[in-house]
Amino acid sequence: KILHDHKLQVSSGKSLSHTTGLSLNNDRIYKLAYSTEVLLDEGKGKPQGSVGYRISSSVDAVLLWRNPDGDDDQLIQIKMTDVKVEDVNQQRGEKSIFKGKTPPKLIGKQNLEALQRPMLLHLIRGKVKEFYSYQNEPVAIENLKRGLASLFQMQLSSGTTSEVDVSGNCKVTYQAQQDKVVKVKSLDSCKIERSGFTTQNQVLGVSSKATSVTTYKIEDSFVLDVAAEEIHFFGLNFLNSIKGRIVSKQKLELKTTEAGPRLIPGKQVATIIKSVDPKYTAIPIVGQVFQSTCKECPSLSEHWQAIRKHLQPDNLSKAEAVRSFLAFVQHLRTAKREDILQLLKTASQDVLPQLVDAVTSAQTPASLEAILDFLDFKSDSGIILQERFLYACGFASHPDEELLRALTGKFKGSFGSNDIRETVMIIIGALVRKLCQNEGCKLKAVVEAKKLILGGLEKPVKKEDTKMYLLALKNALLPEGIPFLLKYAEAGEGPISHLATTTLQRYDVLFITDEVKKTLNRIYHQNHKVHEKTVRTTAAAVILKNNPSYMEVKNILLSIGELPKEMNKYMLAMIQDILRFEMPASKMVRRVLKEMLVHNYDRFSKSGSSSAFTGYIDRSPHSASTYSLDILYSGSGILRRSNLNVFQYMGKADLHGSQVVIEAQGLEALIAATPDEGEENLDSYAGLSAILFDIQLRPVTFFNGYSDLMSKMLSASSDPVSVVKGLILLIDHSQDLQLQSGLKANIEVQGGLAIDISGSMEFSLWYRESKTRVKNRVAVVVTGDVTVDSSFVKAGLEARAESEAGLEFVSTVQFSQYPFLVCMQMDKADAPLRQFETKYERLSTGRGYVSRKRREGLLAGCELPLHQENSDMCNMVFAPQPESTSSGWF
């Protein structure tokens, strides 16, 4: 029963006409019931499927002092008593970890004493002026007290303002009615120091949404009831099984009032506080950071000893290797430089490359110092480790200025291997782009790196360095680099010209201006000089991809029939692919094709073996995964270029998952064939270039020069050449949340993969046959972990998905006769898919409850179509298996 005598006005009490926030009557103790609870689930809203806990207590609120010069200046004492901790899920029953535990056992005697010590709140016009508590109280306990105290901050009128409370400095909107006030806090606006980072690419990123609504039921300027609800939802953009939700609630209810102490007279609040207890000290009401200690966690070396068998080279194609890698990266982020360096120095050679992957992926100052101390770039004995370090830097999810500064410094030094020198510059380009995407383009190290790349293109010290700087620009994608690309594309030698045009191909449509397209048109139509087929077709592809004009499309179509035989077929296949796949240029192409001069049988009946095809690997309403394969042959039937791409699209965002390009030239002499126009003097060459997750890697050479070709043919094996091999931290999201209840929440999403991309090119004069092979093998693991911690009890939700997959492309050409025979195959292997979900509650003493679910299935393999004649989408069937569940103590 609520006693209403506290509503009566007395001569020494408040004046309602001046009140802008909550106001307490003189000489009364307000008896309230308070509870805060938190639930974790997958967002389905079923309480029985959630984990969490509730902290409840009685609360006494007393007005100690009111400024005699203003009723809205108050000092309030708030004290929690009879604290309890219990399950939110009442169905837990005998499995409850709180059953039979007293509050001192659950919370800890010292924690409980600190929680029940009174706090003081200085309010002016309803807003917190100062929060007072005792020094050296546990931070987690102080945060719980801050969460309760923040509920007393409000205003009785409608409007939008900024408030400082446990959540930080936040924008809040009040909607006031006669007996009710609703406060909506914009959690995205809250300014509070918390660690965190995320993957910049939206395809691999995490989406989150947060809401906070507090409803006050008011009578006579004080609360009858307060109900607050804060919800945080997160989900991985490309995989909807990795998601979670935090629901945090607070409830404060007035039970009764009793006679209380009289007001303390005085004008200065500092004097009043000192008279109450001189030990009180002002502390921020904003929640503070605390770290829970792990009592039974292994040391770094113990952890490494436990997982290193999973990181053996033979095990890297298994999901267990990636799971171990992700867990160890998390441990490395808390490790000291000396411990990391000692581990690097003592690790065995077979697992050392994987350890370098993990240390670099940790992306902490300690891990960077350790790995730079360990690697010696002046030596040519550790090239594999140096390369693994550099590629891990390129794939870094949240690189900082210090990493770029370190690599720039290394580039200015000496190297034992020129390949490593080139790789350093290529990765510098990747870091420049990532830092610019994160609004870091004006950082000193970024400005210096940009000057290094552009200066190298303007005035290369050595002519052979031009390719290196172009590859760096292909990663950096600097707008100010476009004039250099146009110069090299039009005037450069074959390989340099081709690299410049493929770099332009990676730029956004905004940068492919009319001026750029004029140069590309001159290249394609050979207005100034003769260009190789690879350069011309790439120039045409850039034009057609970037809002081509009517005349640009018409001139390209009119050129078909006037080109070398295989280039005719290639351009025709490209146009047909644009139409069939409904690419952006398809509307303009259809407009042009209405002209009979352009659209006739002679032009569209050109024969040849070159091809271009785009198809779907997977497709859903909100995302799509595509592959494309284009192959260009020389007139004599020898492969000139094959280009295999995989893209992932998510809304307006895209990710260039992979590109593997195999190029060959100057091989016609082997079969006494005539080279095509403009390619009469090309040196014999074959090589492979790759892009992986938007990062251009250093190209690999199979052979260079006729003598190199012959020696390798005579001693050749069909062993593939590795393009990239290692462990990659692909998804990396960490977010600390300060809940308004005072509890601490943390969201961690990590995704890693073990990848092995290799390529080979076999050439047989005896059988007059060439074969190219590109093989991709990956094991991928994605984990999502959300926890809510009070320091004495923690609740958590873990989700994990994992799979092993493979994709192989084989192209065989028999050129013993003309037309030559071509066989192309792209096979996607069976991919097992496993999903796990773990929910738990755990006391600081170690006792806990856990619930586990597991689902398995098989994504059936298939052969992906590579021609318009066989363009049905690969029918990938997912075969689920029964779900298994378990729960119990630990």
Side-chain angles (χ1 to χ4, degrees):
K1 179 180 178 181
I2 300 175
L3 303 182
H4 294 278
D5 57 349
H6 70 285
K7 314 293 188 311
L8 301 175
Q9 297 302 305
V10 294
S11 59
S12 61
K14 61 195 175 188
S15 171
L16 285 179
S17 61
H18 299 149
T19 300
T20 54
L22 295 181
S23 185
L24 281 71
N25 269 326
N26 306 347
D27 312 333
R28 307 299 298 176
I29 297 178
Y30 292 76
K31 297 282 187 179
L32 305 106
Y34 173 69
S35 67
T36 178
E37 64 181 49
V38 64
L39 299 97
L40 302 178
D41 61 24
E42 314 93 317
K44 297 178 181 177
K46 297 179 180 179
Q48 63 271 23
S50 64
V51 288
Y53 47 88
R54 179 187 295 114
I55 302 170
S56 60
S57 73
S58 299
V59 174
D60 291 346
V62 180
L63 180 66
L64 296 181
W65 171 83
R66 176 179 278 118
N67 192 331
D69 297 330
D71 291 345
D72 289 337
D73 190 352
Q74 310 167 86
L75 184 67
I76 302 169
Q77 184 184 72
I78 303 168
K79 183 178 181 181
M80 301 172 71
T81 58
D82 192 26
V83 179
K84 296 177 182 176
V85 186
E86 56 192 345
D87 262 313
V88 175
N89 191 340
Q90 298 299 325
Q91 298 180 351
R92 196 65 45 79
E94 293 297 321
K95 292 183 178 180
S96 171
I97 62 172
F98 306 108
K99 188 174 179 63
K101 296 280 188 179
T102 62
K105 289 283 187 182
L106 288 169
I107 302 172
K109 186 178 179 182
Q110 291 182 340
N111 283 346
L112 185 59
E113 288 175 356
L115 191 58
Q116 296 186 149
R117 287 193 198 106
M119 52 191 147
L120 303 182
L121 197 61
H122 184 195
L123 296 175
I124 297 179
R125 291 184 290 277
K127 303 302 170 73
V128 175
K129 174 67 174 174
E130 209 69 73
F131 176 67
Y132 298 89
S133 190
Y134 292 91
Q135 284 188 330
N136 301 322
E137 288 185 335
V139 175
I141 299 302
E142 282 185 339
N143 283 349
L144 290 174
K145 295 165 80 169
R146 290 179 172 105
L148 170 58
S150 294
L151 290 180
F152 285 82
Q153 177 169 246
M154 59 90 67
Q155 67 184 45
L156 296 172
S157 57
S158 297
T160 299
T161 185
S162 291
E163 286 183 356
V164 179
D165 63 8
V166 66
S167 303
N169 190 338
C170 309
K171 180 182 176 183
V172 294
T173 300
Y174 286 94
Q175 297 172 338
Q177 300 173 7
Q178 186 175 0
D179 59 350
K180 186 172 76 170
V181 176
V182 177
K183 178 167 74 171
V184 178
K185 184 189 297 182
S186 173
L187 294 172
D188 291 337
S189 72
C190 292
K191 296 175 183 175
I192 185 171
E193 287 190 13
R194 288 293 183 272
S195 61
F197 45 80
T198 191
T199 304
Q200 290 301 313
N201 189 288
Q202 284 301 300
V203 174
L204 301 174
V206 173
S207 295
S208 60
K209 185 179 180 181
T211 60
S212 169
V213 179
T214 304
T215 303
Y216 293 83
K217 290 183 180 178
I218 304 295
E219 189 172 326
D220 191 20
S221 298
F222 196 71
V223 295
L224 294 176
D225 182 84
V226 184
E229 184 175 73
E230 177 181 9
I231 299 175
H232 293 266
F233 178 83
F234 79 93
L236 185 60
N237 290 337
F238 85 93
L239 188 62
N240 59 16
S241 64
I242 305 297
K243 60 185 177 181
R245 185 179 67 157
I246 304 170
V247 180
S248 175
K249 297 180 181 180
Q250 288 173 281
K251 187 172 179 61
L252 184 64
E253 184 180 6
L254 179 64
K255 294 297 184 182
T256 185
T257 64
E258 297 176 357
R262 298 186 65 83
L263 287 183
I264 302 173
K267 287 193 174 183
Q268 298 296 324
V269 69
T271 307
I272 304 300
I273 292 168
K274 195 170 183 179
S275 68
V276 175
D277 190 339
K279 293 181 181 178
Y280 273 120
T281 183
I283 62 173
I285 196 166
V286 177
Q288 302 297 299
V289 178
F290 74 91
Q291 296 292 336
S292 295
T293 56
C294 184
K295 296 179 180 179
E296 298 180 0
C297 290
S299 66
L300 188 69
S301 60
E302 290 171 342
H303 192 169
W304 174 248
Q305 294 299 324
I307 67 163
R308 66 177 182 177
K309 63 178 179 293
H310 302 304
L311 299 181
Q312 295 286 341
D314 293 342
N315 294 331
L316 288 184
S317 60
K318 300 175 183 176
E320 180 66 38
V322 188
R323 283 204 304 274
S324 301
F325 166 72
L326 291 178
F328 197 60
V329 167
Q330 291 289 65
H331 198 154
L332 283 164
R333 285 178 170 166
T334 63
K336 297 177 181 178
R337 169 192 167 278
E338 294 77 13
D339 295 336
I340 299 172
L341 187 57
Q342 180 62 25
L343 208 59
L344 287 165
K345 289 179 177 178
T346 56
S348 56
Q349 291 298 314
D350 54 346
V351 292
L352 189 52
Q354 289 73 263
L355 179 57
V356 169
D357 291 337
V359 170
T360 313
S361 299
Q363 300 173 72
T364 64
S367 64
L368 179 59
E369 286 180 25
I371 194 69
L372 289 176
D373 286 350
F374 176 70
L375 296 174
D376 181 8
F377 286 88
K378 296 177 182 178
S379 169
D380 61 356
S381 61
I383 290 177
I384 292 176
L385 299 180
Q386 295 167 28
E387 190 173 62
R388 293 283 278 262
F389 161 70
L390 292 169
Y391 283 151
C393 289
F395 295 124
S397 56
H398 53 281
D400 59 11
E401 186 182 12
E402 190 56 41
L403 176 59
L404 178 58
R405 188 180 291 113
L407 291 191
T408 305
K410 290 292 180 185
F411 180 77
K412 294 176 181 178
S414 57
F415 290 87
S417 164
N418 191 59
D419 286 349
I420 294 300
R421 177 176 176 269
E422 290 181 2
T423 306
V424 169
M425 176 47 64
I426 293 167
I427 298 305
I428 284 174
L431 295 179
V432 166
R433 185 183 180 202
K434 289 192 175 188
L435 288 167
C436 283
Q437 287 174 334
N438 201 25
E439 301 179 351
C441 247
K442 294 182 179 179
L443 293 171
K444 187 176 179 180
V446 176
V447 172
E448 183 184 351
K450 287 163 68 173
K451 287 181 180 178
L452 199 59
I453 296 170
L454 298 174
L457 289 172
E458 186 176 18
K459 295 179 180 179
V461 177
K462 294 185 288 186
K463 186 179 178 180
E464 53 268 29
D465 282 348
T466 303
K467 179 181 175 183
M468 173 184 71
Y469 288 113
L470 283 172
L471 288 167
L473 185 57
K474 195 172 182 180
N475 274 330
L477 297 181
L478 301 173
E480 51 267 52
I482 290 177
F484 297 112
L485 293 176
L486 297 178
K487 181 186 79 171
Y488 284 112
E490 191 168 20
E493 297 176 359
I496 294 298
S497 177
H498 184 225
L499 179 54
T501 49
T502 58
T503 302
L504 284 168
Q505 201 170 17
R506 297 200 70 201
Y507 277 82
D508 189 84
V509 63
L510 295 173
F511 301 105
I512 307 301
T513 62
D514 290 341
E515 193 63 34
V516 173
K517 286 195 281 185
K518 282 181 184 177
T519 302
L520 293 171
N521 275 291
R522 289 198 300 268
I523 292 171
Y524 177 73
H525 296 291
Q526 303 190 117
N527 297 130
H528 290 175
K529 62 175 283 191
V530 174
H531 293 276
E532 295 178 23
K533 293 194 298 292
T534 52
V535 180
R536 296 178 68 189
T537 53
T538 304
V542 178
I543 295 167
L544 292 170
K545 180 186 173 186
N546 294 279
N547 298 328
S549 67
Y550 187 92
M551 286 308 298
E552 284 172 339
V553 174
K554 182 177 178 179
N555 286 334
I556 287 174
L557 286 170
L558 287 173
S559 71
I560 297 175
E562 309 299 325
L563 306 169
K565 184 178 179 64
E566 283 299 325
M567 188 174 169
N568 270 329
K569 178 62 177 175
Y570 180 88
M571 291 303 302
L572 183 61
M574 184 192 295
I575 296 296
Q576 291 171 333
D577 194 41
I578 288 171
L579 294 171
R580 185 190 58 80
F581 204 70
E582 295 289 338
M583 294 179 189
S586 60
K587 292 181 180 179
M588 184 61 74
V589 172
R590 284 192 170 89
R591 275 186 60 195
V592 175
L593 288 176
K594 290 178 181 179
E595 291 193 37
M596 288 191 70
L597 177 65
V598 175
H599 193 190
N600 56 60
Y601 176 78
D602 180 62
R603 200 176 310 284
F604 279 77
S605 62
K606 299 301 179 185
S607 63
S609 298
S610 298
S611 65
F613 183 82
T614 303
Y616 286 105
I617 296 175
D618 190 27
R619 194 178 186 185
S620 70
H622 71 287
S623 67
S625 180
T626 68
Y627 69 95
S628 65
L629 174 68
D630 57 85
I631 298 183
L632 176 65
Y633 292 99
S634 68
S636 56
I638 296 176
L639 175 74
R640 192 69 176 82
R641 181 187 66 204
S642 73
N643 186 353
L644 174 63
N645 289 276
V646 175
F647 280 89
Q648 179 72 42
Y649 297 92
M650 187 76 59
K652 294 182 179 180
D654 65 84
L655 174 70
H656 197 169
S658 69
Q659 178 190 72
V660 180
V661 179
I662 293 181
E663 292 183 71
Q665 67 179 37
L667 303 182
E668 284 78 11
L670 293 173
I671 56 172
T674 303
D676 292 337
E677 180 191 13
E679 301 181 355
E680 296 87 355
N681 299 315
L682 295 180
D683 290 332
S684 299
Y685 167 83
L688 186 149
S689 174
I691 291 174
L692 187 61
F693 302 114
D694 268 337
I695 305 299
Q696 170 70 51
L697 308 180
R698 185 178 59 80
V700 174
T701 299
F702 295 144
F703 56 82
N704 191 5
Y706 188 79
S707 59
D708 188 26
L709 165 62
M710 295 309 296
S711 67
K712 287 183 177 176
M713 285 181 65
L714 295 172
S715 63
S717 69
S718 57
D719 293 339
V721 175
S722 178
V723 181
V724 62
K725 185 175 186 177
L727 293 156
I728 300 174
L729 181 62
L730 194 59
I731 300 166
D732 200 10
H733 177 91
S734 179
Q735 187 177 6
D736 282 340
L737 300 174
Q738 178 60 66
L739 302 182
Q740 62 188 27
S741 62
L743 294 170
K744 166 191 150 183
N746 179 256
I747 297 172
E748 299 277 348
V749 182
Q750 267 81 40
L753 72 160
I755 190 163
D756 186 357
I757 298 180
S758 58
S760 63
M761 184 173 183
E762 302 167 37
F763 199 91
S764 172
L765 288 177
W766 184 261
Y767 293 105
R768 300 180 72 80
E769 178 182 277
S770 70
K771 179 177 287 188
T772 58
R773 185 187 304 268
V774 177
K775 193 169 186 178
N776 294 286
R777 288 195 310 159
V778 297
V780 60
V781 175
V782 182
T783 64
D785 185 11
V786 54
T787 59
V788 178
D789 195 358
S790 67
S791 78
F792 51 85
V793 59
K794 179 189 281 190
L797 168 66
E798 297 173 358
R800 186 174 86 242
E802 59 186 43
S803 181
E804 296 99 6
L807 187 69
E808 185 173 20
F809 166 69
V810 181
S811 171
T812 305
V813 181
Q814 291 185 348
F815 45 86
S816 56
Q817 58 183 352
Y818 196 88
F820 42 82
L821 302 177
V822 180
C823 175
M824 294 187 296
Q825 260 182 300
M826 189 155 71
D827 295 328
K828 182 179 178 297
D830 288 350
L833 182 62
R834 299 178 289 275
Q835 294 178 311
F836 304 85
E837 182 188 279
T838 303
K839 300 173 185 174
Y840 64 88
E841 296 161 359
R842 182 169 60 235
L843 298 175
S844 59
T845 57
R847 186 185 187 192
Y849 166 82
V850 64
S851 170
R852 293 185 175 92
K853 289 183 180 179
R854 175 181 176 132
R855 292 179 63 222
E856 291 190 36
L858 184 69
L859 200 59
C862 60
E863 185 174 331
L864 296 166
L866 299 173
H867 298 279
Q868 285 91 343
E869 291 81 0
N870 179 25
S871 59
D872 292 336
M873 183 175 167
C874 177
N875 185 23
M876 294 179 291
V877 180
F878 179 71
Q881 297 180 6
E883 180 179 89
S884 63
T885 61
S886 65
S887 63
W889 301 91
F890 66 85

